[in-house]
Amino acid sequence: MNVMGDMANLFGTGRFAQPSGQPSDQEEAADEAQEAADEAAEEVRLRLAVEGGDVEAMSVLGALLLRRGDFDGAESHLRAATAAGDRAAANNLGVLLHQRGYADEAAGWWRIAAVAGSAAAAHALGRHFRERGDEPAAEYWLCQSAEQGHVLGAYALADLLEHRGDDTGSERWMRAAAERGHREAAYRLARTLDRRAGRRDGGDDEAAALAADEAEQWYRQAAARGHRRGALHLGTILEKRGELKEAGRWYLTSAKDGEARAACALGFLLRDAGDTESAAVWWLRAAQDGDGNAANALGALHAERGETQTAERWYRAAMDAGDDNGAYNLGLLCAEQGRTTQAEQWYRRAAYAGHREASNALAILLLRAGDEAGAEPWFSKAAEAGSVDAAFNLGILHAGRSEERAALRWYERAAAAGHTEAALQVGMARLRGGDEREAERFLRCAAGGGSAEAAYRLATVLDARRPPAPAHELGEPAQEKSECEEWYERAASQGHRRAQVRVGMLCAARGDVVEAARWYREAAEAGSRNGAFNLGLLLAREGSEPEAVVWWRRAADAGHGRAALRLALVFARRGELAEGQRWADLAVSLGPAEVGERAARLRDALRQELSA
């Protein structure tokens, strides 16, 4: 793939620091040679001691040979030391027999060692009984081990109690194991605290925050001890908090240890930082390890570059990895290419798997094909699964059937989830129902979300409430803008034509002719006949009647009766009676009533003048 870059680029970015103080290959080889020499010397010393009848040397030599895998050599020494009463040898003899498949005989020696006070043997015996399904005996021996401070015994006891549902006892011993350096215990304790923080039982935010803080500390300890999932979760916490550099380091640590999710997360972090080449490297690594999210990310990357075949291959890989987004993304890809039949198939596959956005997309596809009956259930399924867009689309569907109550119910649901256009629709419905206060609340939400129409409607509501502004005298300082003017201006700046006309009128009322003309012109050029008419009035007052005629003509052609009447008057005054009569006729037909009456009188007068 041409998106793959040199993995060294990751460090070249400077975003993630390289570990310092790492030994070279030559140094490591030298250290290993020295360790082997030291071990050989130790073995010679122990064998000499054993020949002299040293029981402790027998036990240590047997343990050394056991670690090396020399079971035959180890067994004789361990049995001899055990016969002499060495409990460590009895424990190791149990380990040796267990590895050879003699579990019951191993348990006998572990019992001897455990009774003699060996915490390691008590742990091994507890594990033996748990494997046999004898949980009471397992708990007894694991408790003996844990209470003697054996870290593995504490962890195994915590695991047993958690399996049994004893959360209090499990957390106690998991904490004990974690405090003694057990990395898996630290990770599992962190997960327990994380879940507690997420539940926020009883609305106790302070307790939840404390649990979250403690969870982070245990994730950090687990990660520092080489726990790759601990490093992943720590990276996630840091990323959410905005500490991206440190998050990247922990993702990198986890990814290098083989955690595919960390490699995927690192890819997204690098992409957001603008390094798509390195991001692709890590996504590829994660995808090859079966991470569907990373496969989808690679698909999206290739789709953006127009490499649709490669994108499709990665989306299929995501789907094969069990990620329903793969089927959804395949549907999007096919829809963009106009392959609606294939798009529908992929959307259906993802929708049947519970993918809510695929359900919504499928419903839209069916609706566009004229299958409203087939679309509605999928909209409902997506909306019930939490799709805000689907809830809004259901509102549109019901509104199209004049089912106003059902439409309003879905609009309200979408608005409660922050859907801007849904909030506008609810606000408009409340206005129609006369509930102005509630309408204002929803219109504010929609306007704050960027809806120009909502900003305009909110401005009209506020405008209707404000008292008439006093006449502005020349030389007086201009009054501060009211809130409704600010909303008009926001809508106008977003291209809302009626708002632009209204802002122009407010500017004209303040005597700011230049600003008024600017807003009228923007509205007129966007197709507003009122904007064109008002611009014509402004120009005429400023003595630019020829240009005013141009804008009145545009407004009249768009159906503005007053503009047609103005044109009739202009041409009548110029003596172009036939042209004036034509515009007067148009004004009569366009209205409104008072304009039609004036235009009719002017038309009749022009007709008499022409016939004289």
Side-chain angles (χ1 to χ4, degrees):
M1 295 192 325
N2 59 4
V3 299
M4 300 297 106
D6 186 349
M7 295 183 75
N9 290 344
L10 179 68
F11 295 113
T13 61
R15 278 185 283 277
F16 309 118
Q18 295 190 60
S20 59
Q22 297 297 319
S24 66
D25 291 342
Q26 293 85 351
E27 290 172 335
E28 289 181 354
D31 289 343
E32 289 174 2
Q34 183 61 47
E35 286 175 7
D38 291 344
E39 185 176 311
E42 176 67 7
E43 184 179 346
V44 170
R45 186 189 68 76
L46 288 171
R47 288 188 182 278
L48 290 172
V50 167
E51 289 176 1
D54 189 325
V55 174
E56 183 180 355
M58 294 177 193
S59 178
V60 174
L61 179 58
L64 187 150
L65 296 172
L66 177 61
R67 285 195 302 273
R68 189 184 294 168
D70 183 0
F71 291 173
D72 292 333
E75 185 172 355
S76 60
H77 294 297
L78 291 174
R79 284 190 181 276
T82 299
D86 190 293
R87 70 184 186 188
N91 176 55
N92 287 331
L93 181 57
V95 172
L96 185 150
L97 292 168
H98 185 270
Q99 290 185 4
R100 281 186 159 174
Y102 303 117
D104 292 335
E105 188 181 353
W109 290 111
W110 281 331
R111 185 184 295 274
I112 291 171
V115 170
S118 170
H123 164 249
L125 191 56
R127 292 288 302 273
H128 168 78
F129 281 118
R130 187 172 182 190
E131 288 171 3
R132 293 292 188 272
D134 188 350
E135 289 197 1
E139 182 178 356
Y140 173 81
W141 288 109
L142 290 175
C143 190
Q144 294 293 317
S145 176
E147 287 177 349
Q148 291 181 66
H150 194 275
V151 62
L152 295 177
Y155 174 74
L157 178 59
D159 185 69
L160 175 64
L161 295 173
E162 183 180 76
H163 173 72
R164 190 180 295 169
D166 182 356
D167 295 338
T168 302
S170 173
E171 184 175 338
R172 173 196 168 195
W173 289 110
M174 199 71 78
R175 188 180 295 276
E179 287 171 349
R180 292 167 190 161
H182 195 288
R183 69 181 187 184
E184 183 66 24
Y187 171 74
R188 288 178 64 174
L189 178 59
R191 294 294 293 151
T192 299
L193 294 166
D194 218 352
R195 287 191 293 270
R196 185 178 302 162
R199 285 197 301 268
R200 299 193 176 192
D201 297 329
D204 192 346
D205 289 343
E206 184 177 354
L210 288 172
D213 289 342
E214 189 180 2
E216 181 182 341
Q217 295 309 311
W218 286 114
Y219 280 136
R220 192 175 289 278
Q221 290 203 33
R225 293 167 187 154
H227 197 288
R228 68 186 193 186
R229 283 176 293 167
L232 167 65
H233 284 280
L234 179 58
T236 302
I237 290 169
L238 293 167
E239 183 181 1
K240 287 179 180 176
R241 204 158 61 213
E243 299 176 21
L244 303 184
K245 189 171 183 178
E246 188 179 0
R249 286 200 295 268
W250 286 114
Y251 283 149
L252 179 60
T253 299
S254 180
K256 282 184 171 182
D257 286 340
E259 182 59 53
R261 290 175 296 170
C264 181
L266 180 58
F268 282 111
L269 210 59
L270 289 164
R271 181 205 61 183
D272 293 343
D275 188 356
T276 55
E277 294 297 321
S278 293
V281 170
W282 289 103
W283 282 334
L284 176 62
R285 183 167 175 172
Q288 289 173 337
D289 286 339
D291 189 283
N293 194 22
N296 272 314
L298 281 172
L301 183 65
H302 287 286
E304 287 173 6
R305 295 174 174 178
E307 300 164 356
T308 55
Q309 288 185 340
T310 307
E312 185 170 337
R313 179 166 62 86
W314 282 114
Y315 288 148
R316 287 180 183 274
M319 192 172 55
D320 292 341
D323 192 324
D324 299 328
N325 282 313
Y328 173 59
N329 287 331
L330 276 169
L332 291 175
L333 195 66
C334 292
E336 288 173 2
Q337 295 171 341
R339 296 153 57 194
T340 54
T341 302
Q342 293 93 327
E344 182 181 339
Q345 291 173 350
W346 292 118
Y347 285 149
R348 281 189 186 277
R349 178 163 179 171
Y352 278 123
H355 195 291
R356 68 185 188 189
E357 300 309 326
S359 298
N360 182 56
L362 175 60
I364 292 172
L365 204 65
L366 294 170
L367 192 61
R368 287 174 178 168
D371 186 3
E372 185 176 309
E376 186 173 354
W378 288 110
F379 276 137
S380 297
K381 184 175 181 179
E384 293 297 345
S387 171
V388 180
D389 288 334
F392 177 66
N393 289 335
L394 273 173
I396 294 174
L397 204 63
H398 286 290
R401 301 174 188 159
S402 299
E403 298 168 358
E404 301 300 333
R405 288 188 178 180
L408 183 58
R409 185 173 69 251
W410 286 110
Y411 284 145
E412 286 176 339
R413 185 164 177 171
H419 196 287
T420 298
E421 290 304 312
L424 170 62
Q425 294 301 323
V426 176
M428 297 291 289
R430 293 285 185 265
L431 275 180
R432 290 192 296 271
D435 190 350
E436 190 176 289
R437 292 293 174 185
E438 193 68 4
E440 181 184 340
R441 183 170 72 86
F442 281 98
L443 289 173
R444 284 187 183 278
C445 291
S451 170
E453 182 66 24
Y456 172 74
R457 295 286 181 175
L458 176 60
T460 60
V461 169
L462 298 173
D463 203 359
R465 288 187 201 155
R466 67 172 183 163
H472 179 71
E473 298 292 336
L474 290 175
E476 288 185 358
Q479 297 177 357
E480 291 185 4
K481 292 178 182 177
S482 63
E483 185 186 5
C484 77
E485 289 181 74
E486 291 175 354
W487 285 113
Y488 277 134
E489 287 189 3
R490 180 180 293 193
S493 64
Q494 292 175 261
H496 195 285
R497 294 183 302 181
R498 284 175 293 171
Q500 289 170 340
V501 172
R502 183 63 182 145
V503 171
M505 293 170 66
L506 292 169
C507 291
R510 287 199 299 269
D512 191 347
V513 177
V514 174
E515 191 68 4
R518 182 176 75 84
W519 285 113
Y520 287 149
R521 190 179 298 277
E522 278 201 34
E525 289 176 347
S528 169
R529 61 189 186 185
N530 285 327
F533 175 70
N534 287 359
L535 180 58
L537 288 178
L538 204 63
L539 291 167
R541 289 171 190 162
E542 294 297 310
S544 301
E545 188 176 88
E547 190 179 354
V549 167
V550 172
W551 290 107
W552 282 334
R553 191 187 296 275
R554 182 180 291 192
D557 288 339
H560 198 288
R562 285 188 172 85
L565 178 58
R566 286 280 177 174
L567 286 169
L569 290 169
V570 168
F571 286 110
R573 193 167 57 250
R574 290 178 181 176
E576 300 178 28
L577 305 183
E579 187 68 6
Q581 183 182 342
R582 186 174 73 82
W583 287 110
D585 279 336
L586 182 60
V588 170
S589 64
L590 293 174
E594 68 273 15
V595 170
E597 291 173 5
R598 289 182 61 194
R601 289 196 298 271
L602 177 60
R603 179 192 59 191
D604 293 343
L606 291 172
R607 189 173 292 163
Q608 288 178 4
E609 187 72 22
L610 284 167
S611 62

